[in-house]
Amino acid sequence: MTDILQQDIMYLPGVGPQRKKLLAQELGIETFGDLLEYYPYKHVDRSKVYHVSELTGDMPFVQVVGHILSFETFEQSPRKERVVAHFTDGTGIMDLVWFKYGKTAKTKYKIGTDYVLFGRPAVYKNRIQVAHPDLDDASTLDTSAIVMQPYYNTTDKMKKGGMTSRTIERLTKTLLEKLRDPLPETIPDFITGPRHLMPRDEAIRALHYPRDAKQLERARVRMKFEELFFVQLNILRYASDQRRKYSGFVFNRIGATFNEFFFRNLPFPLTGAQKRVMHEIRADLGSGRQMNRLLQGDVGSGKTLVALMTMLIAIDNGYQACIMAPTEILAEQHLQTIRDFLHDMPVRVELLTGIVKGKRRREVLEGLQSGEVHILVGTHAIIEDNVEFHRLGLAVIDEQHRFGVAQRAKLWQKAPQPTTPTQPTTPTQPTQPTKNQLPHVLVMTATPIPRTLAMTLYGDLDVSVIDELPPGRKPIRTTHVFDARTTTLYEGIRRQIREGRQVYCVFPLIEESEKIDLKNLEDGYETLRQAFPEFRLSKVHGRMKPQEKEQEMQRFVSGETQMLVATTVIEVGVNVPNASVMIIFEAQRFGLSQLHQLRGRVGRGADQSFCILVTPYKLGEDTRKRIDIMCETNDGFRIAEADLKLRGPGDLEGTQQSGMAFDLKIANIATDGQLVQMARDEAQKIIDDDPACQSQRYALLWRRLGELRKSNINWGVIS
């Protein structure tokens, strides 16, 4: 049976070379098995046949048996025509309309032949009509056998090639009839039995052709569980492999560098959450295991301070640390923040990004090799081949979702290897590295991640959460303003600036419409310059040269300009405590997480801060929900949960996110939280019982996991 599922889709009756090409390019369907796992997005009840005389414009999908009386063609434009067929079942006449592919319809459907019509009725000029109906020859279709008809997503390119949902349905039906033996099981009955999950063969057949809604729901639960179970088993297997095969450097010393910083330079007392996280990190660093920890915390919660203290522990134990950021602006911000924290302490911190060139770059690289550079801050430039560390013991990765796993893998090539003792980087003699020891990893994100998503995307990482803001911070007040009421908004801005505050004005910059957006930014800048002639403005966007961008940013940071007009390049990394107002123009074009990130640029000082979301009056339902949530709460986790439900989990496949999730064809992380937990619990039992993945009892699971895995790289080692 497995062999037949691997057969080329071209050899399924009804496919052939042309359709094979379309199926592969548009839907990724290349084998019989791929087609089976291309599930319908909905089912429609077709158990009832209506008469034309019964139809009204507010009915859902209906089924009518009748014949075509005649065709009419109406020219819409020189290259477009509308084709109308007059259809009757003897009780009345209705119109069938094709706005596209009308010529095909006139050729395909014959006058006087009985057809089973299926579609959604509407009323046009007091007459019932159905646009782009499904028509089947009534002599070959048994309407009494159709109960729940499946509907499959197709693309425009497929439709142009004559492949509709109905085509996919027919191909799937042909395949299921061809598969006479039951489909092979992938999960043993000691899991499916207690969980009351239906057999895989029954579930897949029912997903395409269910008897009723109840059977369809049971089939969905079974296949969702299967997807989520193997994702979790894969993640937990990697994490288990890592613990068995690799160890981390033992940082068991809290030395002079850390203590000097803690007792002399700490800018404010640590919050309870920061103390808890530091205890968790110290336990990891002293355990002998490689730390792989995700540090979640809202904007302004003090993650960078925790990361710095962790790096100082590495230095006290004779090792170097690096912090990788996704953009040059953020890297430079981290450099400045760390240097400000350290003041005049004898810790050498250097920057390595694309703009560090020539003699300066050589000095940084030489300092890294000799061990004189203790902390390196940079972008992906850190993982270039010519960058060599003396002893890299800790890697901090900020905004981890922007780094591909394959890029982060290069960091391990820079780890210290077993050698004869050499001069340490500090007076503390470090323990010599042994085989399979890897640098510790601390991943920071200011994007709060809902638990079910974290369990899947970051399932191999231990999670720490900083859920308190430093004392003295006031919650940011967020309000929604329609773009027709900017006069009142401008008065509020003027008041804030006269009180000595500064203002961000953000415009969207979306790649697909970059030229339009840049024009909007330029127009917006000009409008604001004319509205506030008494103030100075800076302007920043991603198309500017780094030097120009830096110059404009510095003018705002220093207070020389009162307003910064920018695109989302300021989403992360800009820290201006004196800025108290964030105005986001066309806020309807931003996602919730992005709005929350932008809002986090203000509220960094002790003054009351404001975030103003400016939109047109006309908004879609989802957009209005997003704006309302932003105005209701500053809680990043609540916002992230809402964002996940509104937008879905996105692409979990491949190395961009975690390197460990398979395609989710049916499960939904946003809505299937209970199934995620159930799948993880079952997977954890298997790993606990068979950590080496060799027990014959679980052979079926390990074999299936092997089929699903996309590569042999142990992504778990690199978080």
Side-chain angles (χ1 to χ4, degrees), residues 636-655:
F637 283 94
R638 192 178 152 203
I639 286 165
E641 289 281 1
D643 202 24
L644 184 62
K645 280 176 182 159
L646 284 171
R647 293 197 306 154
D651 177 22
L652 305 185
E653 166 64 22
T655 58

PDB file of all heavy atoms in Angstrom, residues 636-655:
ATOM      1  N   GLY A 636       1.045  42.105  26.338  1.00  0.00           N
ATOM      2  CA  GLY A 636       1.570  41.524  25.107  1.00  0.00           C
ATOM      3  C   GLY A 636       1.089  40.116  24.847  1.00  0.00           C
ATOM      4  O   GLY A 636       0.890  39.724  23.694  1.00  0.00           O
ATOM      5  N   PHE A 637       0.887  39.324  25.916  1.00  0.00           N
ATOM      6  CA  PHE A 637       0.463  37.938  25.723  1.00  0.00           C
ATOM      7  C   PHE A 637      -0.997  37.870  25.265  1.00  0.00           C
ATOM      8  O   PHE A 637      -1.350  37.056  24.421  1.00  0.00           O
ATOM      9  CB  PHE A 637       0.676  37.121  27.002  1.00  0.00           C
ATOM     10  CG  PHE A 637       2.117  36.756  27.185  1.00  0.00           C
ATOM     11  CD1 PHE A 637       2.958  37.543  27.948  1.00  0.00           C
ATOM     12  CD2 PHE A 637       2.649  35.644  26.552  1.00  0.00           C
ATOM     13  CE1 PHE A 637       4.296  37.231  28.085  1.00  0.00           C
ATOM     14  CE2 PHE A 637       3.988  35.315  26.682  1.00  0.00           C
ATOM     15  CZ  PHE A 637       4.820  36.110  27.457  1.00  0.00           C
ATOM     16  N   ARG A 638      -1.817  38.758  25.807  1.00  0.00           N
ATOM     17  CA  ARG A 638      -3.213  38.791  25.368  1.00  0.00           C
ATOM     18  C   ARG A 638      -3.290  39.221  23.896  1.00  0.00           C
ATOM     19  O   ARG A 638      -4.066  38.687  23.110  1.00  0.00           O
ATOM     20  CB  ARG A 638      -3.996  39.763  26.255  1.00  0.00           C
ATOM     21  CG  ARG A 638      -5.495  39.626  26.046  1.00  0.00           C
ATOM     22  CD  ARG A 638      -6.300  40.533  26.936  1.00  0.00           C
ATOM     23  NE  ARG A 638      -7.560  40.850  26.259  1.00  0.00           N
ATOM     24  CZ  ARG A 638      -8.295  41.906  26.508  1.00  0.00           C
ATOM     25  NH1 ARG A 638      -7.938  42.765  27.425  1.00  0.00           N
ATOM     26  NH2 ARG A 638      -9.416  42.123  25.859  1.00  0.00           N
ATOM     27  N   ILE A 639      -2.444  40.185  23.537  1.00  0.00           N
ATOM     28  CA  ILE A 639      -2.401  40.666  22.154  1.00  0.00           C
ATOM     29  C   ILE A 639      -1.919  39.553  21.221  1.00  0.00           C
ATOM     30  O   ILE A 639      -2.462  39.344  20.139  1.00  0.00           O
ATOM     31  CB  ILE A 639      -1.492  41.914  22.056  1.00  0.00           C
ATOM     32  CG1 ILE A 639      -2.235  43.113  22.673  1.00  0.00           C
ATOM     33  CG2 ILE A 639      -1.079  42.212  20.626  1.00  0.00           C
ATOM     34  CD1 ILE A 639      -1.372  44.295  22.977  1.00  0.00           C
ATOM     35  N   ALA A 640      -0.895  38.810  21.662  1.00  0.00           N
ATOM     36  CA  ALA A 640      -0.361  37.725  20.834  1.00  0.00           C
ATOM     37  C   ALA A 640      -1.399  36.627  20.618  1.00  0.00           C
ATOM     38  O   ALA A 640      -1.519  36.079  19.521  1.00  0.00           O
ATOM     39  CB  ALA A 640       0.891  37.147  21.489  1.00  0.00           C
ATOM     40  N   GLU A 641      -2.157  36.306  21.657  1.00  0.00           N
ATOM     41  CA  GLU A 641      -3.221  35.289  21.525  1.00  0.00           C
ATOM     42  C   GLU A 641      -4.260  35.758  20.511  1.00  0.00           C
ATOM     43  O   GLU A 641      -4.709  34.989  19.656  1.00  0.00           O
ATOM     44  CB  GLU A 641      -3.908  35.047  22.883  1.00  0.00           C
ATOM     45  CG  GLU A 641      -3.070  34.306  23.915  1.00  0.00           C
ATOM     46  CD  GLU A 641      -3.025  32.804  23.672  1.00  0.00           C
ATOM     47  OE1 GLU A 641      -3.634  32.331  22.698  1.00  0.00           O
ATOM     48  OE2 GLU A 641      -2.366  32.108  24.448  1.00  0.00           O
ATOM     49  N   ALA A 642      -4.646  37.037  20.621  1.00  0.00           N
ATOM     50  CA  ALA A 642      -5.651  37.582  19.701  1.00  0.00           C
ATOM     51  C   ALA A 642      -5.105  37.586  18.277  1.00  0.00           C
ATOM     52  O   ALA A 642      -5.814  37.252  17.324  1.00  0.00           O
ATOM     53  CB  ALA A 642      -6.029  38.996  20.135  1.00  0.00           C
ATOM     54  N   ASP A 643      -3.827  37.953  18.118  1.00  0.00           N
ATOM     55  CA  ASP A 643      -3.194  37.994  16.800  1.00  0.00           C
ATOM     56  C   ASP A 643      -3.172  36.611  16.167  1.00  0.00           C
ATOM     57  O   ASP A 643      -3.445  36.436  14.983  1.00  0.00           O
ATOM     58  CB  ASP A 643      -1.768  38.527  16.941  1.00  0.00           C
ATOM     59  CG  ASP A 643      -1.240  39.092  15.631  1.00  0.00           C
ATOM     60  OD1 ASP A 643      -2.063  39.483  14.787  1.00  0.00           O
ATOM     61  OD2 ASP A 643      -0.020  39.130  15.455  1.00  0.00           O
ATOM     62  N   LEU A 644      -2.865  35.606  16.980  1.00  0.00           N
ATOM     63  CA  LEU A 644      -2.813  34.223  16.493  1.00  0.00           C
ATOM     64  C   LEU A 644      -4.188  33.785  15.994  1.00  0.00           C
ATOM     65  O   LEU A 644      -4.315  33.139  14.957  1.00  0.00           O
ATOM     66  CB  LEU A 644      -2.323  33.304  17.614  1.00  0.00           C
ATOM     67  CG  LEU A 644      -2.107  31.838  17.260  1.00  0.00           C
ATOM     68  CD1 LEU A 644      -1.034  31.686  16.200  1.00  0.00           C
ATOM     69  CD2 LEU A 644      -1.713  31.046  18.496  1.00  0.00           C
ATOM     70  N   LYS A 645      -5.233  34.180  16.748  1.00  0.00           N
ATOM     71  CA  LYS A 645      -6.589  33.778  16.348  1.00  0.00           C
ATOM     72  C   LYS A 645      -7.046  34.508  15.095  1.00  0.00           C
ATOM     73  O   LYS A 645      -7.723  33.951  14.251  1.00  0.00           O
ATOM     74  CB  LYS A 645      -7.562  34.036  17.501  1.00  0.00           C
ATOM     75  CG  LYS A 645      -7.479  32.926  18.540  1.00  0.00           C
ATOM     76  CD  LYS A 645      -8.341  33.172  19.730  1.00  0.00           C
ATOM     77  CE  LYS A 645      -8.163  32.023  20.736  1.00  0.00           C
ATOM     78  NZ  LYS A 645      -8.547  32.389  22.066  1.00  0.00           N
ATOM     79  N   LEU A 646      -6.649  35.780  14.970  1.00  0.00           N
ATOM     80  CA  LEU A 646      -7.081  36.567  13.811  1.00  0.00           C
ATOM     81  C   LEU A 646      -6.304  36.203  12.545  1.00  0.00           C
ATOM     82  O   LEU A 646      -6.854  36.124  11.471  1.00  0.00           O
ATOM     83  CB  LEU A 646      -6.892  38.069  14.091  1.00  0.00           C
ATOM     84  CG  LEU A 646      -7.914  38.717  15.024  1.00  0.00           C
ATOM     85  CD1 LEU A 646      -7.473  40.125  15.377  1.00  0.00           C
ATOM     86  CD2 LEU A 646      -9.295  38.759  14.390  1.00  0.00           C
ATOM     87  N   ARG A 647      -4.998  35.973  12.702  1.00  0.00           N
ATOM     88  CA  ARG A 647      -4.163  35.778  11.510  1.00  0.00           C
ATOM     89  C   ARG A 647      -3.749  34.341  11.281  1.00  0.00           C
ATOM     90  O   ARG A 647      -3.263  33.994  10.216  1.00  0.00           O
ATOM     91  CB  ARG A 647      -2.895  36.629  11.627  1.00  0.00           C
ATOM     92  CG  ARG A 647      -3.146  38.116  11.573  1.00  0.00           C
ATOM     93  CD  ARG A 647      -1.876  38.857  11.281  1.00  0.00           C
ATOM     94  NE  ARG A 647      -0.809  38.516  12.205  1.00  0.00           N
ATOM     95  CZ  ARG A 647       0.475  38.610  11.915  1.00  0.00           C
ATOM     96  NH1 ARG A 647       0.850  38.994  10.720  1.00  0.00           N
ATOM     97  NH2 ARG A 647       1.391  38.305  12.809  1.00  0.00           N
ATOM     98  N   GLY A 648      -3.877  33.476  12.293  1.00  0.00           N
ATOM     99  CA  GLY A 648      -3.394  32.103  12.153  1.00  0.00           C
ATOM    100  C   GLY A 648      -1.904  32.043  12.425  1.00  0.00           C
ATOM    101  O   GLY A 648      -1.231  33.062  12.572  1.00  0.00           O
ATOM    102  N   PRO A 649      -1.347  30.829  12.500  1.00  0.00           N
ATOM    103  CA  PRO A 649       0.045  30.666  12.917  1.00  0.00           C
ATOM    104  C   PRO A 649       1.063  30.939  11.832  1.00  0.00           C
ATOM    105  O   PRO A 649       2.250  30.956  12.086  1.00  0.00           O
ATOM    106  CB  PRO A 649       0.101  29.192  13.326  1.00  0.00           C
ATOM    107  CG  PRO A 649      -0.952  28.539  12.511  1.00  0.00           C
ATOM    108  CD  PRO A 649      -2.045  29.556  12.333  1.00  0.00           C
ATOM    109  N   GLY A 650       0.637  31.130  10.582  1.00  0.00           N
ATOM    110  CA  GLY A 650       1.614  31.353   9.527  1.00  0.00           C
ATOM    111  C   GLY A 650       2.313  30.070   9.133  1.00  0.00           C
ATOM    112  O   GLY A 650       1.843  28.978   9.402  1.00  0.00           O
ATOM    113  N   ASP A 651       3.456  30.234   8.501  1.00  0.00           N
ATOM    114  CA  ASP A 651       4.181  29.078   7.973  1.00  0.00           C
ATOM    115  C   ASP A 651       5.075  28.487   9.046  1.00  0.00           C
ATOM    116  O   ASP A 651       6.038  29.094   9.464  1.00  0.00           O
ATOM    117  CB  ASP A 651       5.034  29.545   6.782  1.00  0.00           C
ATOM    118  CG  ASP A 651       5.883  28.433   6.212  1.00  0.00           C
ATOM    119  OD1 ASP A 651       5.526  27.262   6.438  1.00  0.00           O
ATOM    120  OD2 ASP A 651       6.888  28.737   5.548  1.00  0.00           O
ATOM    121  N   LEU A 652       4.747  27.296   9.498  1.00  0.00           N
ATOM    122  CA  LEU A 652       5.575  26.638  10.503  1.00  0.00           C
ATOM    123  C   LEU A 652       6.606  25.729   9.850  1.00  0.00           C
ATOM    124  O   LEU A 652       7.374  25.070  10.523  1.00  0.00           O
ATOM    125  CB  LEU A 652       4.707  25.777  11.439  1.00  0.00           C
ATOM    126  CG  LEU A 652       3.561  26.490  12.132  1.00  0.00           C
ATOM    127  CD1 LEU A 652       2.890  25.540  13.100  1.00  0.00           C
ATOM    128  CD2 LEU A 652       4.043  27.714  12.855  1.00  0.00           C
ATOM    129  N   GLU A 653       6.601  25.666   8.539  1.00  0.00           N
ATOM    130  CA  GLU A 653       7.443  24.708   7.830  1.00  0.00           C
ATOM    131  C   GLU A 653       8.843  25.267   7.619  1.00  0.00           C
ATOM    132  O   GLU A 653       9.027  26.444   7.427  1.00  0.00           O
ATOM    133  CB  GLU A 653       6.797  24.407   6.470  1.00  0.00           C
ATOM    134  CG  GLU A 653       7.664  23.710   5.475  1.00  0.00           C
ATOM    135  CD  GLU A 653       8.061  22.334   5.929  1.00  0.00           C
ATOM    136  OE1 GLU A 653       7.376  21.758   6.787  1.00  0.00           O
ATOM    137  OE2 GLU A 653       9.076  21.838   5.442  1.00  0.00           O
ATOM    138  N   GLY A 654       9.837  24.395   7.654  1.00  0.00           N
ATOM    139  CA  GLY A 654      11.174  24.747   7.199  1.00  0.00           C
ATOM    140  C   GLY A 654      12.026  25.401   8.251  1.00  0.00           C
ATOM    141  O   GLY A 654      11.639  25.566   9.396  1.00  0.00           O
ATOM    142  N   THR A 655      13.218  25.805   7.822  1.00  0.00           N
ATOM    143  CA  THR A 655      14.204  26.281   8.783  1.00  0.00           C
ATOM    144  C   THR A 655      13.988  27.722   9.198  1.00  0.00           C
ATOM    145  O   THR A 655      14.605  28.176  10.143  1.00  0.00           O
ATOM    146  CB  THR A 655      15.615  26.173   8.183  1.00  0.00           C
ATOM    147  OG1 THR A 655      15.643  26.949   6.981  1.00  0.00           O
ATOM    148  CG2 THR A 655      15.955  24.741   7.847  1.00  0.00           C
TER     149      THR A 655
END
